[in-house]
Amino acid sequence: MNNKRAADAATLMRERYVEIWPKILDPWTQYLISARSAFDGDMDKMIILAVIGLATLQDGRVLAHPTSSLKYDDLGDDRAKRADARPINIESISLYTGIPRESVRRKVRELIARRWVARDTRGYLVVLSAAAIDLEPLSTLLFRLIGRISNEINDHLSL
């Protein structure tokens, strides 16, 4: 979304909040409830995985795949090989999120035990394909939520 369209969407939400937000709130709430469940009630763990995922996918330089374009479904494909991710460790996650370092360390250990995260050859944290596979239902909910938000905004901006 370009800056003007984003500004228009922000203005639209402020001006028609009571009309638009209730249509978005139900799928948003369902997503949060599902996310809480997927992360055993620990939303900090979800934030930590998201931050590691951001570093893992940042700059589009992380995954090499035998096909020319990489899709979400390819993230669970063993043929998708991880290239060097942007360096991220427990300290940088703590600084970025404000979650205490010892909490990050404990939650990262839990994510590693779930096989959602690993350390690469340099010792940095990366998200593993098992996370994409295990969290696919949650991702599908998020994609639907994004679609719903986009449709609501587009419908009202085109009026």
Side-chain angles (χ1 to χ4, degrees):
M1 185 181 294
N2 65 34
N3 288 341
K4 178 172 178 4
R5 189 142 171 90
D8 290 347
T11 299
L12 174 71
M13 288 301 297
R14 288 189 172 282
E15 290 175 356
R16 296 197 168 162
Y17 183 82
V18 174
E19 182 182 344
I20 297 170
W21 185 242
K23 296 174 184 174
I24 298 169
L25 188 56
D26 180 54
W28 173 245
T29 302
Q30 291 304 314
Y31 174 77
L32 290 175
I33 291 167
S34 296
R36 185 175 182 276
S37 176
F39 287 87
D40 304 321
D42 189 344
M43 295 302 276
D44 279 354
K45 212 181 304 180
M46 180 178 146
I47 292 167
I48 291 166
L49 183 65
V51 170
I52 298 168
L54 179 62
T56 302
L57 296 174
Q58 208 159 28
D59 300 334
R61 62 191 170 108
V62 176
L63 297 171
H65 194 267
T67 62
S68 60
S69 67
L70 185 67
K71 300 177 186 118
Y72 174 81
D73 292 338
D74 296 330
L75 296 176
D77 186 339
D78 288 336
R79 296 176 302 154
K81 301 296 181 208
R82 231 164 261 297
D84 287 338
R86 182 167 289 212
I88 191 154
N89 58 27
I90 288 167
E91 178 70 20
S92 57
I93 294 168
S94 177
L95 290 171
Y96 186 78
T97 63
I99 300 169
R101 189 175 63 223
E102 212 33 61
S103 294
V104 172
R105 184 181 321 282
R106 185 178 66 256
K107 292 167 194 304
V108 164
R109 276 196 309 263
E110 293 169 14
L111 292 168
I112 289 171
R114 267 186 134 154
R115 296 193 165 113
W116 288 358
V117 169
R119 293 192 183 277
D120 69 9
T121 57
R122 301 170 301 160
Y124 296 120
L125 299 166
V126 294
V127 175
L128 298 175
S129 60
I133 293 166
D134 293 349
L135 295 171
E136 194 278 331
L138 186 61
S139 295
T140 297
L141 277 176
L142 180 60
F143 300 157
R144 287 183 186 143
L145 172 63
I146 292 167
R148 182 111 176 234
I149 292 168
S150 177
N151 289 342
E152 286 299 326
I153 290 170
N154 286 333
D155 289 350
H156 286 84
L157 282 178
S158 63
L159 292 177

